[in-house]
Amino acid sequence: MEETTMHDHRRLGRELELFDTDPLMGAGLPYWLPAGAVVRHTLEEYVRDAERRAGYRHVYSPVLGKRELYEISGHWDHYRDDMYPPMRLGAEEVVLRPSLCPHHALVYRSRTHSYRELPLRIAELGAMYRAELSGVLGGLTRVRAIHLNDAHIFCTLEQAAGEARGALELIARAYADLGIRAARYRLSLPGGGGKYVADPELWRRATALLRQVLAASGLEHEEAEGEAAFYGPKIDVQVVDAAGREATLSTVQIDFHQPARFDLHYIGADGARHRPVMVHRSIIGSVERAVAHLVEEHGGALPAWLAPVQLVVLPVAEGQEERARAVVREARDRGLRAETAGLQHGSLGARVRAARLVPYQAVIGEREADGGLAAVRLRDGRRLGLLPVDDLLRRVAARVEARGSVLWE
């Protein structure tokens, strides 16, 4: 229980000054403080870079849509209880979007596509809104304003399984870089009731494709009824928090429903119109839940490339403060996030303890300042002795660029 409390992202979020809430903003609407904004920005840029390398093209779409848009997509019929009520603007009703996929369907539909363009991978890190009840809200894991790392791949039927496998590979690579692991893979299937689109053939085809993808990827999985999206089955990548609670972080879905609802098509080699398949995928899910899980998984000691402060420089006495500031400037010139912890913050021991979650500590006394050196400590307790400052910064920058969880080679 003590370890669970120590790793609770809400406690660590306050300690590390990552995020906070205010009653005037409302429950389930956290705001990001400067340190948290650094983590979020770094994570978002990592995902965008990974997507660019994988051939995705990024778009922006509005957080509002006409009610009619969600009637076409099926959200209004099947997902209305989780949506905010419509707002009337003159003769129109607009809704805060609960999902990005209808918007991306319209992006695809904005012009005619040839089979030669497919697969077309469209990605966005966008906001969406869910009308969560107050009783289920908590920290960053259940919020009302969600920033989702979302993407939709428009492809031929023959390409769909390969695109889904590629998405699973992106997820696995991201987890390795983030130092987290999947607890299990779940094939989420429909359950009873009217929550799901009534099209048995659609479900059969999509489920068969996802089973094929899991088998080809060599991933053991469990099947769970009642966990599918309303429009199709999905592969959920499950993670477990410090308290043993399981949640979905990443997903891969195959959708035949929305391409039909929006009358999407491409021109095939035969010159005729054909219906594309829509593969939904999210590498890290929502930024909020991803950061919560990262903080808990690492106990606040985030991988060096993701840490809000990567290097802290600690002068021993007043005479070394200017040298410490110069080292910080050199570190920042190399793209590192570095700060000084001067004497105004207490004794050297107190400053070392306060910086215990910072990956790298450089202590500078009189001897170090005179010799261009630093006494280096790692977050894991290792002391590397004296290193030339230039060598230290070069090696830290290399570890940050390499990502992963290794602090020192």
Side-chain angles (χ1 to χ4, degrees):
M1 180 64 70
E2 181 180 353
E3 183 179 353
T4 297
T5 303
M6 290 292 290
H7 281 237
D8 189 305
H9 81 277
R10 292 166 295 186
R11 185 191 69 79
L12 287 166
R14 289 191 295 271
E15 179 184 334
L16 298 173
E17 298 185 348
L18 299 179
F19 69 94
D20 210 340
T21 58
D22 192 291
L24 283 177
M25 288 190 188
L29 298 169
Y31 58 86
W32 297 81
L33 296 164
V38 168
V39 175
R40 174 175 165 174
H41 177 80
T42 304
L43 187 58
E44 290 176 352
E45 284 304 299
Y46 166 79
V47 170
R48 288 192 182 101
D49 182 62
E51 289 171 337
R52 280 192 294 268
R53 292 172 185 269
Y56 287 80
R57 304 174 72 180
H58 291 93
V59 299
Y60 290 104
S61 59
V63 299
L64 291 170
K66 291 173 64 174
R67 171 176 160 173
E68 180 185 1
L69 171 63
Y70 305 107
E71 290 173 339
I72 294 172
S73 70
H75 285 82
W76 191 253
D77 287 339
H78 299 281
Y79 204 72
R80 189 185 318 172
D81 290 345
D82 294 297
M83 295 171 62
Y84 283 95
M87 296 172 279
R88 182 163 290 280
L89 296 176
E92 296 181 342
E93 286 187 330
V94 296
V95 180
L96 283 167
R97 68 179 174 194
S99 173
L100 278 70
C101 39
H103 294 248
H104 288 186
L106 296 185
V107 170
Y108 178 86
R109 202 175 72 175
S110 64
R111 67 176 180 84
T112 301
H113 298 277
S114 163
Y115 72 97
R116 293 188 179 90
E117 298 177 68
L118 304 185
L120 179 61
R121 306 180 185 103
I122 294 175
E124 180 176 4
L125 210 156
M128 62 186 196
Y129 300 86
R130 304 278 173 87
E132 299 277 12
L133 298 176
S134 298
V136 302
L137 299 173
L140 294 176
T141 55
R142 291 293 290 269
V143 294
R144 288 170 169 161
I146 303 165
H147 296 84
L148 187 68
N149 153 234
D150 207 5
H152 299 92
I153 304 164
F154 301 89
C155 60
T156 68
L157 179 61
E158 294 74 22
Q159 294 168 334
E163 290 300 310
R165 286 199 304 274
L168 286 173
E169 290 167 4
L170 272 178
I171 291 167
R173 195 174 311 134
Y175 281 28
D177 286 342
L178 293 166
I180 60 179
R181 61 184 181 84
R184 67 185 179 107
Y185 291 82
R186 184 180 75 192
L187 178 57
S188 295
L189 303 172
K195 174 183 174 182
Y196 304 100
V197 170
D199 190 331
E201 178 60 16
L202 174 155
W203 289 98
R204 186 196 65 76
R205 294 170 66 202
T207 301
L209 275 172
L210 289 182
R211 286 196 176 113
Q212 175 186 332
V213 168
L214 287 164
S217 301
L219 296 173
E220 294 185 6
H221 68 279
E222 300 172 12
E223 298 190 359
E225 293 187 359
E227 297 293 340
F230 73 83
Y231 48 79
K234 57 195 175 93
I235 297 171
D236 288 326
V237 185
Q238 302 296 103
V239 295
V240 175
D241 68 12
R245 294 179 296 248
E246 185 176 298
T248 301
L249 192 60
S250 312
T251 62
V252 179
Q253 307 167 29
I254 288 181
D255 179 8
F256 294 102
H257 171 72
Q258 291 191 70
R261 297 279 290 191
F262 285 100
D263 192 26
L264 305 184
H265 64 273
Y266 64 91
I267 305 301
D270 58 0
R273 289 159 54 109
H274 298 267
R275 184 82 66 208
V277 179
M278 196 170 174
V279 178
H280 306 236
R281 60 103 282 226
S282 181
I283 298 175
I284 59 165
S286 77
V287 173
E288 289 79 10
R289 179 169 287 177
V291 170
H293 186 69
L294 282 163
V295 169
E296 295 197 354
E297 180 77 11
H298 296 291
L302 295 171
W305 66 274
L306 198 55
V309 178
Q310 295 163 327
L311 170 69
V312 63
V313 184
L314 304 102
V316 172
E318 186 176 349
Q320 292 90 53
E321 288 197 325
E322 179 51 43
R323 176 56 185 156
R325 288 191 286 269
V327 171
V328 167
R329 289 194 293 270
E330 292 176 46
R332 290 176 177 172
D333 285 344
R334 291 177 179 261
L336 298 173
R337 296 187 288 273
E339 293 183 359
T340 56
L343 277 66
Q344 72 271 26
H345 297 294
S347 67
L348 179 61
R351 285 178 279 148
V352 167
R353 289 191 296 275
R356 70 188 186 282
L357 296 179
V358 177
Y360 306 98
Q361 298 180 1
V363 178
I364 297 182
E366 184 176 359
R367 178 176 55 162
E368 290 82 8
D370 291 342
L373 304 169
V376 182
R377 303 167 182 239
L378 301 184
R379 177 174 60 197
D380 59 15
R382 282 180 286 171
R383 298 192 181 196
L384 304 182
L386 297 179
L387 287 176
V389 167
D390 186 67
D391 187 37
L392 168 65
L393 299 183
R394 177 181 58 79
R395 295 183 70 170
V396 170
R399 290 311 317 154
V400 168
E401 185 177 358
R403 300 195 179 99
S405 300
V406 176
L407 284 178
W408 201 260
E409 293 289 357

